[in-house]
Amino acid sequence: MSAQPVTNEQPACLKWSGGSLPLTGPCVIGRRSDNDIPINNVQVSRRHALLMSHNSEWWLNDLGSRNGVFHNGMRITSARRLRDGDEIRIANHRLTFSNGRQGPLHRSTIVGSTTQMALPEENGSALGPVVCELVITSPQGEILEGEKAAHWLFGKKLERSPGSEHYRLPPLVREWLARMMESSAVFVPLEMRDGDKNLVVSLARCKDARCFLLLREESAQISIERLQSLGLTEREAEVMHWVCEGKQNTEIAGILDVTLHTVKRHMEHIFKKLGVDNRQKAIKAVADRLGA
């Protein structure tokens, strides 16, 4: 089970002396043997770092490690967007990121806070909006690892029965997890709205009765990732995002720096895929299918 991979001519990958790993979904690095890249070193935390893709970009996160994650020689304090050839250092282990692209980097032109993934960097500090945590649960929703992150993101919605060793995910998340465990189709992220924020929960994988959940906080808009889960391409999802925001075709053409004809063509494809014949029906179809 993995999140939607970045679309490249070749998969992105991590390389190190004597090995490499294609990145087709979230990648967890740490001391435990069930990580995607296990590092047997006492200076490495059990869950040390996370690489995840979001809107055609790869991001590096520190999972609260004791000794830190270094990106091109600098310890990161927030998520960092990765570029081809970037070096990641964990303890005395060095890994190199390759994006696998042959041409120039594609960057989303959307400026909304859920999608401004190609922002400039200042003084070595990433300005991107990605906030992602890892929580590991049982298939029944008992929190086995990442309790601190779960408390931070779920707050009082967590449950704990008297005498129980573990907190449990909120009922809505447990129900979603049960459906994902039974599903053999596309794994659709769960989006929970709370005021002006959304909490997006994705199932990265489930192995040996341990479910790896990615919890990402973003602004309360319909995310590009969720729109793509309806069968839309990335560009179609961008167009539909702005349709849901009430923008007209001419405005969308200006925002995305494309022709009006191109926007109309994307709208035709969107209508066909959603089984509708106008904008209002498309918005309603998106809301009904994604629970927005």
Side-chain angles (χ1 to χ4, degrees), residues 18-75:
S20 67
L21 177 72
L23 297 173
T24 57
C27 174
V28 183
I29 304 173
R31 196 172 69 249
R32 282 188 58 119
S33 60
D34 61 348
N35 289 308
D36 300 287
I37 299 180
I39 299 178
N40 186 17
N41 185 317
V42 294
Q43 294 184 333
V44 177
S45 299
R46 292 186 305 166
R47 311 290 180 194
H48 200 106
L50 168 70
L51 276 76
M52 61 166 286
S53 63
H54 186 54
N55 290 342
S56 298
E57 305 280 10
W58 280 95
W59 290 76
L60 172 67
N61 294 261
D62 186 335
L63 293 174
S65 67
R66 183 176 67 253
N67 293 315
V69 178
F70 293 81
H71 173 256
N72 292 335
M74 297 186 65
R75 183 167 182 167

Side-chain angles (χ1 to χ4, degrees), residues 30 70 77 80 123 127 133 172 179 181 187 193 201 208:
F70 293 81
T77 57
R80 294 300 302 265
N123 299 324
L127 302 178
E133 296 288 346
L172 179 64
R179 292 196 303 272
M181 295 292 294
F187 299 107
R193 180 168 296 189
V201 186
D208 298 330

Side-chain angles (χ1 to χ4, degrees), residues 166-208:
H166 302 291
Y167 279 91
R168 295 195 302 167
L169 297 169
L172 179 64
V173 186
R174 296 202 306 269
E175 293 168 8
W176 166 83
L177 180 59
R179 292 196 303 272
M180 294 302 100
M181 295 292 294
E182 296 172 357
S183 175
S184 59
V186 176
F187 299 107
V188 180
L190 173 68
E191 187 169 334
M192 303 173 66
R193 180 168 296 189
D194 183 12
D196 63 347
K197 293 290 184 181
N198 273 354
L199 178 61
V200 180
V201 186
S202 303
L203 177 59
R205 69 171 183 269
C206 200
K207 181 181 180 181
D208 298 330

Side-chain angles (χ1 to χ4, degrees), residues 17 35 117 145 151 160 189 220 225 237 275:
S17 176
N35 289 308
M117 309 308 295
E145 294 183 40
H151 273 287
R160 188 173 188 176
E225 179 183 350

